[in-house]
Amino acid sequence: LTSGKQLAKRHSMPIKMINGFNEDKLFILYAYLCRYEHKIKGINTLKELTSMYPNLHKLESLISSFSCHIVKRESMPAMGLLALPDILYMTNSKNSKVLSFLTHIRNSIAHGQIMKEKDYIHIIDYSENKNTKEKIYTARGKVEIPKIEAILDLVIENVEL
């Protein structure tokens, strides 16, 4: 793999900040996307995930370090409530809190909806109503940076391509 720094040097292009992330953090987000697409995307049960992650309890513990609520789409809280730190609301997209979280964070990264602001990472995931083009939120919240980084690092380190 060629790092962002190597590409920038080769092409003499400065790497810009994107949504508050510098090139090193962008590389981590990209590495997570690669791992998810190659190894996690097709997993639909916690049992399958456990076979890939013998230490799944660490991942569950990290996700439990902030308030992660499963809600129905129509029960997604108003934006004002999302100003509270370390709270994430999400739909149960994969029949498991862990798998749902991994999927929503993947979507937030892939669609450019993840954002860094001071000490927090804002996670937003949504689908779009095909008729009205209205955004239907499936995940929203903000979590302290070290907590999200620890989760991403664990996924990146424990899933071999």
Side-chain angles (χ1 to χ4, degrees):
L1 286 175
T2 305
S3 76
K5 287 180 184 177
Q6 291 168 327
L7 284 173
K9 285 180 184 175
R10 188 179 318 154
H11 298 291
S12 301
M13 296 171 41
I15 299 289
K16 295 180 181 178
M17 295 280 282
I18 299 175
N19 289 357
F21 296 100
N22 65 24
E23 62 186 82
D24 293 331
K25 299 302 181 191
L26 289 170
F27 186 75
I28 291 168
L29 297 177
Y30 180 75
Y32 175 80
L33 286 179
C34 290
R35 296 295 193 260
Y36 183 92
E37 292 300 316
H38 286 93
K39 293 291 182 178
I40 300 172
K41 187 176 184 175
I43 294 176
N44 292 306
T45 68
L46 215 48
K47 185 176 180 180
E48 289 176 86
L49 189 63
T50 304
S51 70
M52 190 174 281
Y53 283 96
N55 58 354
L56 182 65
H57 64 281
K58 287 183 183 178
L59 194 55
E60 290 171 321
S61 176
L62 288 169
I63 292 171
S64 296
S65 70
F66 54 92
S67 191
C68 188
H69 302 282
I70 300 284
V71 296
K72 293 184 178 183
R73 285 182 186 204
E74 56 274 8
S75 301
M76 190 65 64
M79 286 302 278
L81 291 175
L82 299 176
L84 300 171
D86 276 344
I87 297 177
L88 177 68
Y89 295 94
M90 64 182 188
T91 58
N92 194 8
S93 62
K94 287 277 196 163
N95 300 316
S96 146
K97 186 183 268 190
V98 172
L99 282 169
S100 293
F101 175 82
L102 295 175
T103 300
H104 287 300
I105 193 118
R106 177 261 173 221
N107 292 344
S108 186
I109 295 167
H111 301 148
Q113 299 300 313
I114 195 165
M115 219 174 3
K116 180 181 166 222
E117 180 186 50
K118 296 185 182 177
D119 299 330
Y120 295 92
I121 292 180
H122 292 262
I123 299 165
I124 298 170
D125 186 18
Y126 63 87
S127 59
E128 201 171 86
N129 181 308
K130 292 179 184 176
N131 297 324
T132 66
K133 302 295 182 196
E134 175 189 12
K135 290 180 183 177
I136 302 165
Y137 289 93
T138 56
R140 292 196 312 200
K142 72 179 189 179
V143 180
E144 288 179 276
I145 292 170
K147 293 176 182 180
I148 296 296
E149 286 180 342
I151 292 166
L152 297 179
D153 288 344
L154 189 63
V155 170
I156 292 166
E157 292 171 10
N158 284 285
V159 179
E160 295 180 14
L161 287 175

